[in-house]
Amino acid sequence: MTQEEVLMLIEKKDGKAYTYLYNMYSKSLFAVISNLIKNREEAEDVLQDVFVKIWKNIDSFDSEKGRLYTWMLNITRNTTIDKMRSKGYNKSLKNQELDNFVGIIDNENKFINKIDVIGVSEFIKKLKPKCIQIIDLLFFKGYTQAETSEELEIPLGTVKTLNRTCINDLRTYLKV
């Protein structure tokens, strides 16, 4: 089935087109989601939301502006980012079940081992304790500067200044 045929079926709200889209694109879109959201159930929920949005907004797709897959990929990326920024998602990360911690610890250990292999951890250990904290939250745990500010209970401007200073100190150590 060609893209044009699928679009014609979608315009008619034919269920075959939806099934075709899902069968053709769900795996690749799920891979994009899973790359950002590690919890499989959460990622599956996002995938479902993505296909609902695609189905509801298909009229806004313009084949002259780009390919259908690219349009679907943008919806997927935006929906995933929206989910990650939502308060509910952030709270669920903080209140994970005990079973999840085994995987998290294993993944963190793998990551820490990779850092050790390239030697970065030795340089980070030479930094001031506050710098170690800042770098850990911003770069290894993926916190935003605002989240780091809340976590450490220091002003956002201080986090930004410390971040810059700590990175410059790390650069100095790496040049030696």
Side-chain angles (χ1 to χ4, degrees), residues 109 111-122 125:
N109 285 338
F111 184 68
I112 288 168
N113 290 338
K114 287 180 185 174
I115 293 169
D116 286 341
V117 169
I118 61 174
V120 174
S121 65
E122 290 304 314
K125 288 178 186 173

Side-chain angles (χ1 to χ4, degrees), residues 108-137:
E108 284 183 4
N109 285 338
K110 288 176 190 171
F111 184 68
I112 288 168
N113 290 338
K114 287 180 185 174
I115 293 169
D116 286 341
V117 169
I118 61 174
V120 174
S121 65
E122 290 304 314
F123 291 104
I124 291 173
K125 288 178 186 173
K126 294 179 181 179
L127 298 172
K128 298 173 195 157
K130 198 56 135 180
C131 284
I132 294 170
Q133 248 184 334
I134 294 283
I135 288 175
D136 181 53
L137 292 173

Side-chain angles (χ1 to χ4, degrees), residues 151-163:
E151 180 73 22
L152 299 178
E153 297 177 349
I154 57 177
L156 179 59
T158 304
V159 169
K160 291 178 179 183
T161 301
L162 279 172
N163 180 31

Side-chain angles (χ1 to χ4, degrees), residues 38-51:
K38 302 304 179 201
N39 180 301
R40 184 170 181 83
E41 290 175 11
E42 296 270 352
E44 288 171 351
D45 287 345
V46 172
L47 181 65
Q48 184 177 358
D49 291 345
V50 165
F51 274 95

Side-chain angles (χ1 to χ4, degrees), residues 3 7 21 24-32 51 54 58 61 66-77:
Q3 180 176 312
L7 290 173
L21 282 178
M24 285 297 297
Y25 299 109
S26 62
K27 287 182 183 176
S28 61
L29 297 180
F30 185 74
V32 170
F51 274 95
I54 288 168
I58 196 68
F61 171 69
R67 295 181 9 209
L68 178 63
Y69 178 72
T70 305
W71 180 78
M72 292 171 63
L73 198 57
N74 283 329
I75 290 174
T76 302
R77 185 179 51 80

Side-chain angles (χ1 to χ4, degrees), residues 159-170:
V159 169
K160 291 178 179 183
T161 301
L162 279 172
N163 180 31
R164 212 170 327 151
T165 302
C166 296
I167 295 300
N168 286 335
D169 290 349
L170 187 58

